[in-house]
Amino acid sequence: MKNKIYKCYFIILIFLFFTFTTVNLFIYGNDFSERENRYLAAFPQLTVQKLADGSFMKEFDSFACDRFVFRNFFVSLKGELERITLKKDNNGIHFGRNGYLIPAFEKNEAIVENNTNALIKLNETGKFSLSVCLVPTANEVKNKELPLFARNGYEKKTLNGVNGALKEKKVKVVEPLKSLLAHSNEYIYYKTDHHQTALGGYYMYESLGEALGYKPLKIESFKVKTLSENFFGTSFSKAGVTGYGPDRLQLFESDVKVTCDQGSFFDYSKLETKDKYAFFMGGNYAVATVTSSVKNGRRLAIIKDSYANNIVPFLANHFETIYMIDLRYFNGDLFEELYKFSVNDILVLQGISTFATDGSLSKITEIINSSAHLKTLGGEVKKGERVEDSYFADAVFIGDSLTDGLKLYAEAGGTFLSNTGISVTGVMSALSANGVSIAEQIKTTKGGKFYIMLGLNDSISSEEEIPAFIKNYGALIDAIKESNPKSPVYIQSLFPVSREREKKGDIKNSVIYKMNDALLKLAKEKNVYFLKVYEAVADDEGYLKEEITTDGVHLKPDNYKDWYNYLKSHAVPVYGEGKTDEIKNARFAGGGKYNPHKLAKALVEGVAFKDKLSEAGINSVKFLYGIEPESLLDGCVMAGGGSTAEEIAIFEFSGKEMKKLVEKKINERIEVKRKAYESYMPQEMAKLENPVVIITGDFAVLCICDNNKEAEKIITQFIKNR
Amino acid sequence: MVFSSITFLYYFLPLVSVVYFAFHRFLPNGILFLFSLLFYAWGEPVYVFLMLFSTAFNYLAGLQMEKRGEKGRKFLLWFSVAVNFLILVYFKYAGFLVSIINSVTGLNFEIKELALPVGISFYTFQAVSYIIDVYRKSAKAQKSFINFGCYIALFPQLIAGPIVRYNTIEKQLSSRTLSLEKVIQGITRFTAGLCKKVLIANNIGALWSNLSSLPFSELSTLSAWLGIMAYTLQIYFDFSGYSDMAIGLGRIFGFEFSENFNYPYISKNVSEFWRRWHISLGTWFKEYVYIPMGGSRVKRGRMYFNIFTVWMLTGLWHGASFNFLLWGIYYGILLVIEKTFLLKRLEKCPVFVRSIYTMLAVIFGWVLFASPNLSYALSYLKVMLGFSAAGFADNRFLYALLSNLVVFGAGIAGSMPFAKQLFERLTETEKAKWVTPFLVFAGFVLCTAYLADSTFNPFLYFRF
């Protein structure tokens, strides 16, 4: 009888077991586990490959475990059992006093060492102003709440060890521990989460002020807003026990408006989910840009983990732009990114718990070793291997009449956003030679690299004016980087003027060299390249060589090649996604009946031009007039070095449509020139008032000169005699 | 596949039981052989073919042996033993041998490090036991390939023993009885083993892995002692738990495997310890190595040689490294010492002295055994002997002790017979019939909780 009962019990057990197994087979549950904040493993794909290497089985094991029926119940059961058996922790979370669940401090010696070395190496590159702040955790700050004997001081030891090693190697270190300990009785860490509360974040922000150069706002100036009274954090999930929490999630609001390019800066929708800390920026991203309404132009890059998310809202009161890079997810070239951001100040802001267990910071070492970007980042480009003409195919040149010359006489490829008289101050409102707004073109042009040569037209006569000039220059660089984040930018030094020219008194070489120094500094700050192109044109005493200049400022046509050669031998490898080789072997369609070159020659000989006009290459038809050379039968453009407005353009074409177009383009060109010379060289405006424009059914001539009558005569004669 | 996994408990086990009990009349061993292959392939999808080769080779060798005369039998015996051990040496010891050769000769041979096929030490020893048993005529050659495959590959004992000698199971392969009685015994035994593994070994093992991964500068003397004691309990509960599960599973399918552990930690001397620890391995070495070499019925010198040979091999069987070799030699020395004079002296000592002596010997042995290399073992021993940069005791030790008090208590109680005796006395009575089934139920649920928690991994840094 008793045996029978015994057996009955077991038969019931076996029945239960099979019922449960069957239920488990058919219930899969949700794909996403709120409690763990992760997607649960899916049923693995069955392939021969996966069977052979065993990955199918491994994935199935994870699947079986992740999707086990009533899993949450079982997980909690385990947590409770640990607590009942007097364990003081579960899954690495201490059951603390006063409702605190405190993560145990863990560290991996090798990781700590590698991360520390990576930061030292980053600092030693000398390219950035680096500050490091490791955020202590509740394990140290709230150690009063730890269970008996759990207080072991290892976190503090690690913090001190790392900070000491960094300081020894001259890395700027921020140590908030003292200040946090002074407030350790306050609610500065969540009880059920490893992060700091808004108040804790405020104290961090206070500690960071000195290193980052801002005066922290008083705590009273923030409006405290309670976001949720029902926050159960990650520690709660991990510990798997009841009787803890919830936490209160608060926000210290200030007046600044902040946006984030990855989504809402404050993501209120997350307050409805389990993961309420993701209220800050919606979580972690590889790269995120935060823009604040504080218009002070300050930029800061933060290499961060989730501890930073709570501190960034405070920093947004002092930085207009904050770039956040999370190296745990970011796998590109860090320096390309920092370059793109034009940022010089870097803050490493990580929880010490992350620093001690996650090796992603040591990616920096790899990047330093492999990044070609770093080698030339932010500074002078030294002479290197000579590049081919094709290097400039996707280059964009921004400049004044000198840059025009580079196009016209050195026949450099690429796009030219240049025009006579353009200054740094005026560049964003100027038109390029073919009459389109430069600002607009910077926005729309996808260049492989950008060359800037501006400043002579800013008429800087004393050192005091330089800072304002540099500020505008910086804005231009920012504008370029905004639209072409991956393309390198070259700042070209200004050319000095010749000894003769300096005597006039309005331009001093001493100021020009001061400007060049300031530009080099700017280049370093913005992490762009600097080219001492004056080396190609200056004599030993620093004056523009007399024999290569027409007016003491501009170069003789042949000498633009010297400059171009300098650019060719001072170029960096490019990693951007610029256009591929697009240099066109441009040519006219051919079959013309006139001989434009003959007319040009006649004009140059017959009309007394002030400047020495030379023939500009065929690309100038497109560059200056916006006409495709292929659509013309023949043509010729003659231009000066930039010291006058003088210019000759002769086009031969066929068809009414083409006539209309050529007429329109010539008029546009005149308009552009007028605008350019209006402020730059008002004395040249006379020539532009009413330049000679003669257009017949298949032939068009523009001649900008002093002697319209003579020019008209020569042209009419030429057309007649054809 | 391992027993302590959701996949085994809630997919494999129900499936194999249903199929077996539905169709065992037709092809009982075929079903078990097929499922065993699936079980093995789950962890070793490629090496399952190696095991099949080994099975086929030994099957044919056995058949041939029975047909041949004395000369042929002898040749076949040495040939098959050689092939079996060559395979084992190639997969398990090649890297170790090459490193020894390199360090002795200063040459620089290179060898592709192969992953060790799971269970190869166990099934090779079973195969060799079959060959020797057939040679000695203590068993007949197995005519059925399926039955033989079932012997080699039987999933309950395939990957961690016990090592079943062929002559002990020959009859069961062809006829065995199934009964509810046996199934219930099997379930109970299996659950007990599962609890030993999941609730105690894994739990206390976490403490060992925690303390042993500390840098020596942070390991205090008492922490080191606590750590190695945790390992002492872990390895017993892990291994004996596995054997319990194997025996229990075997019983469900009608097999009777012999016991593998018999409360080794209550031993009063090291010789006794080895009669109670991993019995199937000790018996194997005794039956097939020690006694054929002459055992102890030889001259004194020869006997010592025999003992050392057996213990070096025993050490090496556990793994291909100097640690294990040294660990084997360590026991060889202890056993020789005991045999020559110590046993007699010990008999005069009080029981607790004998117990402490045995446990200390065993614990120091485990330091060698558990260390990844010799230098680690030496550093660890140094800390245990009081040379610690972190002092004699520290907060970490106190915390670890306090936090693991219950599981230590359970472990110590569980490694002595009185807990089981108490349990048996309690469940004897009429009224307590529900206790065992209830404990089986509770144990199973709790183990499930721990296993389901194993992939429980709250993602610290949010979803990306």
Side-chain angles (χ1 to χ4, degrees):
Chain A
M1 182 61 193
K2 56 187 171 181
N3 241 351
K4 245 184 198 165
I5 292 171
Y6 189 69
K7 280 177 183 168
C8 268
Y9 283 136
F10 270 96
I11 287 167
I12 293 168
L13 278 188
I14 293 169
F15 176 76
L16 273 176
F17 174 69
F18 278 99
T19 314
F20 191 75
T21 303
T22 316
V23 170
N24 179 42
L25 273 184
F26 292 102
I27 293 181
Y28 285 100
N30 289 330
D31 288 344
F32 185 74
S33 161
E34 276 248 316
R35 187 164 172 188
E36 292 161 77
N37 218 337
R38 67 178 179 99
Y39 284 98
L40 298 175
F43 191 86
Q45 230 181 348
L46 186 63
T47 64
V48 177
Q49 172 67 29
K50 283 182 131 184
L51 275 178
D53 66 15
S55 55
F56 174 83
M57 295 76 149
K58 284 199 186 78
E59 286 171 33
F60 183 89
D61 287 342
S62 308
F63 160 81
C65 213
D66 267 9
R67 302 300 180 101
F68 193 65
V69 68
F70 307 137
R71 177 158 173 273
N72 273 336
F73 161 78
F74 283 112
V75 167
S76 302
L77 181 66
K78 186 227 167 190
E80 295 295 347
L81 191 71
E82 295 279 280
R83 195 155 57 151
I84 290 165
T85 56
L86 305 179
K87 278 266 176 80
K88 304 288 180 234
D89 58 76
N90 185 28
N91 290 331
I93 304 291
H94 289 296
F95 307 135
R97 302 166 212 231
N98 297 321
Y100 275 91
L101 289 169
I102 301 177
F105 179 72
E106 280 166 27
K107 77 164 172 210
N108 177 317
E109 300 267 320
I111 285 177
V112 169
E113 196 182 321
N114 290 341
N115 284 347
T116 310
N117 288 338
L119 294 183
I120 290 170
K121 284 206 180 104
L122 178 62
N123 194 50
E124 281 172 352
T125 63
K127 310 268 185 187
F128 311 98
S129 157
L130 176 71
S131 315
V132 176
C133 177
L134 298 174
V135 186
T137 72
N139 192 289
E140 181 59 38
V141 180
K142 285 277 181 189
N143 62 19
K144 284 187 297 255
E145 313 296 357
L146 284 171
L148 191 62
F149 301 131
R151 206 159 141 184
N152 54 29
Y154 286 108
E155 178 178 330
K156 194 173 178 183
K157 215 170 120 191
T158 308
L159 269 172
N160 289 342
V162 173
N163 288 338
L166 291 174
K167 280 190 280 191
E168 194 180 308
K169 296 285 181 181
K170 308 263 181 299
V171 182
K172 192 157 51 164
V173 173
V174 180
E175 293 173 279
L177 182 60
K178 239 185 177 173
S179 126
L180 291 172
L181 283 173
H183 296 284
S184 65
N185 286 329
E186 297 167 37
Y187 183 46
I188 52 177
Y189 286 88
Y190 293 112
K191 294 182 172 190
T192 65
D193 197 73
H194 55 294
H195 292 110
Q196 291 179 312
T197 62
L199 186 60
Y202 174 79
Y203 293 132
M204 289 299 301
Y205 153 76
E206 253 187 352
S207 306
L208 285 163
E210 198 190 323
L212 297 182
Y214 61 79
K215 199 165 168 284
L217 300 173
K218 290 246 155 54
I219 196 160
E220 298 80 41
S221 58
F222 294 94
K223 209 174 83 199
V224 180
K225 187 169 164 186
T226 297
L227 301 166
S228 170
E229 297 275 8
N230 200 28
F231 172 42
F232 290 91
T234 318
S235 304
F236 180 80
S237 301
K238 286 182 108 181
V241 287
T242 51
Y244 290 87
D247 268 302
R248 175 186 299 140
L249 191 72
Q250 286 181 323
L251 172 68
F252 282 26
E253 264 188 323
S254 71
D255 302 333
V256 290
K257 294 275 167 290
V258 190
T259 57
C260 174
D261 67 337
Q262 298 292 342
S264 316
F265 184 65
F266 293 132
D267 191 343
Y268 282 87
S269 69
K270 294 285 190 234
L271 297 176
E272 307 306 316
T273 65
K274 157 97 186 34
D275 180 18
K276 294 185 171 51
Y277 187 77
F279 165 78
F280 298 104
M281 278 155 277
N284 293 317
Y285 306 97
V287 180
T289 309
V290 167
T291 315
S292 124
S293 59
V294 176
K295 290 279 169 253
N296 61 5
R298 291 198 69 185
R299 287 159 180 258
L300 175 70
I302 303 183
I303 295 173
K304 46 86 64 173
D305 68 357
S306 54
Y307 282 87
N309 296 11
N310 185 33
I311 302 167
V312 168
F314 292 105
L315 297 179
N317 289 297
H318 305 278
F319 293 90
E320 182 174 335
T321 321
I322 297 173
Y323 302 98
M324 302 197 293
I325 301 167
D326 198 326
L327 283 179
R328 291 168 302 171
Y329 311 123
F330 176 79
N331 287 312
D333 184 342
L334 174 70
F335 298 108
E336 192 178 318
E337 211 65 22
L338 292 171
Y339 157 80
K340 186 167 94 182
F341 294 157
S342 292
V343 64
N344 195 241
D345 290 312
I346 304 179
L347 169 66
V348 174
L349 188 56
Q350 269 202 345
I352 181 67
S353 48
T354 313
F355 186 89
T357 53
D358 177 285
S360 55
L361 276 185
S362 53
K363 282 182 193 168
I364 294 175
T365 309
E366 282 160 47
I367 303 172
I368 288 176
N369 292 337
S370 66
S371 170
H373 234 92
L374 177 68
K375 290 188 187 111
T376 44
L377 189 68
E380 188 187 336
V381 182
K382 298 280 193 296
K383 188 166 181 174
E385 210 169 302
R386 216 176 138 81
V387 296
E388 298 295 320
D389 287 322
S390 57
Y391 180 82
F392 300 97
D394 63 350
V396 178
F397 291 86
I398 300 170
D400 49 26
S401 49
L402 283 165
T403 301
D404 276 352
L406 192 64
K407 173 76 186 179
L408 300 179
Y409 307 115
E411 300 215 28
T415 310
F416 278 71
L417 309 181
S418 59
N419 205 350
T420 312
I422 289 184
S423 63
V424 170
T425 326
V427 63
M428 297 314 277
S429 55
L431 304 180
S432 64
N434 57 3
V436 186
S437 150
I438 289 182
E440 196 53 45
Q441 291 188 71
I442 286 175
K443 239 185 242 168
T444 54
T445 306
K446 290 283 166 241
K449 42 263 190 197
F450 285 77
Y451 285 88
I452 312 172
M453 165 67 114
L454 285 172
L456 226 46
N457 294 327
D458 287 73
S459 323
I460 308 260
S461 53
S462 70
E463 273 181 51
E464 287 78 65
E465 298 167 49
I466 294 178
F469 164 74
I470 292 294
K471 195 174 171 237
N472 287 331
Y473 212 117
L476 170 63
I477 292 170
D478 294 342
I480 293 169
K481 285 190 164 184
E482 183 131 327
S483 52
N484 286 273
K486 288 195 166 169
S487 312
V489 175
Y490 294 92
I491 297 180
Q492 300 177 82
S493 74
L494 298 172
F495 288 164
V497 296
S498 70
R499 197 182 288 267
E500 277 304 306
R501 182 68 180 77
E502 201 182 32
K503 284 179 185 154
K504 271 192 173 176
D506 59 331
I507 307 176
K508 276 180 271 175
N509 274 352
S510 61
V511 176
I512 288 180
Y513 282 106
K514 284 267 154 58
M515 289 165 79
N516 282 342
D517 290 345
L519 286 176
L520 174 59
K521 205 173 141 239
L522 175 71
K524 284 187 176 162
E525 250 167 53
K526 295 274 175 194
N527 277 328
V528 300
Y529 305 122
F530 183 74
L531 292 167
K532 287 187 172 164
V533 285
Y534 62 78
E535 287 175 347
V537 297
D539 63 19
D540 294 341
E541 289 170 75
Y543 291 103
L544 186 62
K545 295 177 196 156
E546 293 291 355
E547 68 271 21
I548 64 167
T549 174
T550 49
D551 56 357
V553 176
H554 295 89
L555 306 180
K556 287 183 180 164
D558 282 348
N559 296 105
Y560 280 97
K561 292 224 167 61
D562 302 343
W563 177 10
Y564 184 49
N565 282 330
Y566 185 94
L567 298 185
K568 279 177 142 182
S569 56
H570 294 71
V572 297
V574 170
Y575 315 93
E577 313 167 335
K579 284 189 288 188
T580 47
D581 192 349
E582 256 190 30
I583 268 201
K584 281 186 207 146
N585 286 322
R587 53 194 185 87
F588 294 114
K593 293 163 282 183
Y594 303 86
N595 185 342
H597 288 85
K598 207 172 152 194
L599 172 59
K601 205 179 161 203
L603 281 169
V604 170
E605 283 167 4
V607 181
F609 285 96
K610 291 256 170 55
D611 206 348
K612 182 182 179 295
L613 294 196
S614 320
E615 181 176 354
I618 190 166
N619 283 314
S620 61
V621 174
K622 170 84 185 290
F623 163 54
L624 296 179
Y625 288 85
I627 302 172
E628 295 293 339
E630 288 89 338
S631 63
L632 297 171
L633 301 177
D634 205 348
C636 175
V637 174
M638 306 280 289
S643 56
T644 68
E646 290 164 352
E647 192 164 306
I648 299 170
I650 307 165
F651 304 124
E652 193 184 344
F653 49 85
S654 68
K656 271 186 189 166
E657 286 300 306
M658 205 54 211
K659 183 189 168 193
K660 254 196 209 157
L661 180 82
V662 169
E663 192 171 0
K664 182 172 155 240
K665 292 292 179 187
I666 286 178
N667 286 327
E668 277 176 15
R669 174 70 186 149
I670 296 166
E671 200 50 45
V672 167
K673 285 203 92 146
R674 279 181 191 145
K675 273 196 186 146
Y677 278 84
E678 204 165 33
S679 55
Y680 172 59
M681 280 188 187
Q683 67 272 26
E684 289 293 306
M685 287 304 283
K687 291 174 192 166
L688 289 165
E689 207 107 305
N690 202 8
V692 179
V693 180
I694 295 171
I695 300 177
T696 69
D698 55 359
F699 199 64
V701 184
L702 162 72
C703 182
I704 305 171
C705 60
D706 272 341
N707 194 341
N708 284 359
K709 238 183 215 166
E710 186 58 32
E712 266 171 49
K713 205 177 105 190
I714 295 172
I715 297 164
T716 349
Q717 194 71 29
F718 179 82
I719 295 175
K720 221 181 259 170
N721 288 351
R722 173 185 56 90
Chain B
M1 204 182 296
V2 289
F3 297 153
S4 53
S5 73
I6 296 288
T7 311
F8 179 81
L9 293 179
Y10 290 97
Y11 290 87
F12 186 86
L13 184 59
L15 189 64
V16 68
S17 331
V18 166
V19 173
Y20 185 80
F21 283 94
F23 300 110
H24 70 95
R25 264 172 251 274
F26 308 109
L27 205 61
N29 291 343
I31 293 168
L32 288 180
F33 185 40
L34 263 180
F35 273 98
S36 295
L37 291 179
L38 173 66
F39 178 88
Y40 191 75
W42 195 260
E44 299 284 12
V46 177
Y47 286 147
V48 69
F49 295 103
L50 179 69
M51 187 178 74
L52 276 172
F53 167 79
S54 180
T55 309
F57 172 81
N58 288 295
Y59 169 70
L60 293 174
L63 285 182
Q64 284 301 314
M65 204 184 274
E66 236 177 22
K67 289 182 196 153
R68 297 295 159 97
E70 193 50 38
K71 244 185 172 176
R73 290 162 59 86
K74 196 148 215 170
F75 167 76
L76 270 171
L77 167 74
W78 288 113
F79 177 67
S80 348
V81 169
V83 168
N84 278 308
F85 280 116
L86 274 177
I87 294 175
L88 181 64
V89 165
Y90 179 72
F91 281 98
K92 190 165 176 177
Y93 300 99
F96 180 53
L97 287 175
V98 166
S99 77
I100 293 175
I101 291 167
N102 283 346
S103 65
V104 170
T105 61
L107 295 172
N108 205 5
F109 287 114
E110 274 189 29
I111 188 164
K112 202 176 149 224
E113 283 287 333
L114 290 164
L116 179 69
V118 167
I120 190 170
S121 310
F122 289 94
Y123 73 69
T124 303
F125 269 45
Q126 294 207 161
V128 171
S129 122
Y130 168 73
I131 292 291
I132 298 178
D133 285 354
V134 173
Y135 172 77
R136 287 181 179 167
K137 298 189 175 165
S138 60
K140 279 194 177 134
Q142 178 56 258
K143 300 286 178 308
S144 150
F145 180 71
I146 286 177
N147 285 2
F148 184 69
C150 190
Y151 163 67
I152 294 289
L154 197 60
F155 73 84
Q157 36 77 1
L158 174 59
I159 57 180
I163 300 167
V164 179
R165 279 166 300 127
Y166 184 72
N167 57 18
T168 65
I169 205 175
E170 187 186 8
K171 286 204 186 78
Q172 299 177 36
L173 280 172
S174 43
S175 78
R176 56 186 182 267
T177 51
L178 295 176
S179 71
L180 184 59
E181 201 99 9
K182 276 187 171 184
V183 169
I184 289 171
Q185 285 166 5
I187 290 173
T188 313
R189 187 70 185 267
F190 177 82
T191 310
L194 187 67
C195 291
K196 278 165 102 172
K197 160 77 182 144
V198 175
L199 300 183
I200 296 183
N202 285 1
N203 241 327
I204 209 153
L207 176 61
W208 161 248
S209 70
N210 219 327
L211 291 172
S212 64
S213 62
L214 287 179
F216 282 111
S217 61
E218 291 179 17
L219 187 70
S220 65
T221 297
L222 284 184
S223 290
W225 278 96
L226 192 71
I228 199 62
M229 279 156 76
Y231 184 77
T232 303
L233 289 176
Q234 180 197 355
I235 192 163
Y236 170 65
F237 279 91
D238 199 289
F239 204 171
S240 74
Y242 203 95
S243 293
D244 288 336
M245 289 189 269
I247 292 166
L249 284 172
R251 198 160 296 163
I252 292 175
F253 299 107
F255 289 97
E256 295 291 340
F257 300 141
S258 34
E259 291 295 332
N260 210 14
F261 289 87
N262 183 22
Y263 300 106
Y265 291 155
I266 61 164
S267 305
K268 302 288 177 282
N269 56 57
V270 175
S271 314
E272 185 188 354
F273 171 76
W274 275 103
R275 287 194 299 274
R276 290 170 175 274
W277 178 275
H278 203 173
I279 299 164
S280 66
L281 181 73
T283 317
W284 194 96
F285 271 110
K286 198 173 108 197
E287 288 274 316
Y288 299 121
V289 182
Y290 188 65
I291 291 176
M293 286 175 87
S296 40
R297 293 176 187 171
V298 283
K299 280 190 190 139
R300 200 153 259 246
R302 173 68 198 221
M303 186 184 82
Y304 293 152
F305 173 77
N306 290 350
I307 290 179
F308 274 105
T309 308
V310 166
W311 284 98
M312 273 162 73
L313 290 175
T314 304
L316 279 177
W317 181 87
H318 287 86
S321 87
F322 282 111
N323 289 28
F324 294 113
L325 187 63
L326 209 67
W327 179 74
I329 293 172
Y330 168 79
Y331 275 111
I333 293 171
L334 280 175
L335 291 172
V336 167
I337 292 174
E338 288 197 347
K339 254 195 162 63
T340 43
F341 69 93
L342 195 62
L343 278 183
K344 284 181 190 140
R345 300 248 174 120
L346 279 172
E347 272 169 26
K348 291 170 192 149
C349 295
V351 174
F352 79 93
V353 174
R354 288 190 270 167
S355 291
I356 288 174
Y357 149 75
T358 311
M359 276 324 287
L360 279 179
V362 169
I363 284 175
F364 278 110
W366 289 139
V367 175
L368 273 179
F369 191 89
S371 297
N373 51 56
L374 275 183
S375 75
Y376 183 93
L378 289 177
S379 307
Y380 199 91
L381 283 171
K382 250 172 74 183
V383 173
M384 282 176 71
L385 295 175
F387 304 97
S388 161
F392 183 68
D394 58 359
N395 268 3
R396 186 167 262 152
F397 159 72
L398 290 169
Y399 180 78
L401 180 67
L402 210 65
S403 202
N404 291 283
L405 220 47
V406 172
V407 63
F408 258 108
I412 291 169
S415 39
M416 296 192 219
F418 78 81
K420 199 183 175 192
Q421 287 160 2
L422 191 73
F423 172 77
E424 274 167 0
R425 190 164 307 161
L426 281 176
T427 49
E428 252 174 14
T429 59
E430 176 76 21
K431 275 183 183 165
K433 279 297 159 202
W434 59 274
V435 174
T436 309
F438 172 76
L439 286 179
V440 165
F441 172 76
F444 215 86
V445 169
L446 289 181
C447 288
T448 302
Y450 274 78
L451 292 177
D453 185 77
S454 69
T455 65
F456 178 72
N457 179 19
F459 199 48
L460 264 174
Y461 300 113
F462 306 116
R463 175 161 40 122
F464 172 64

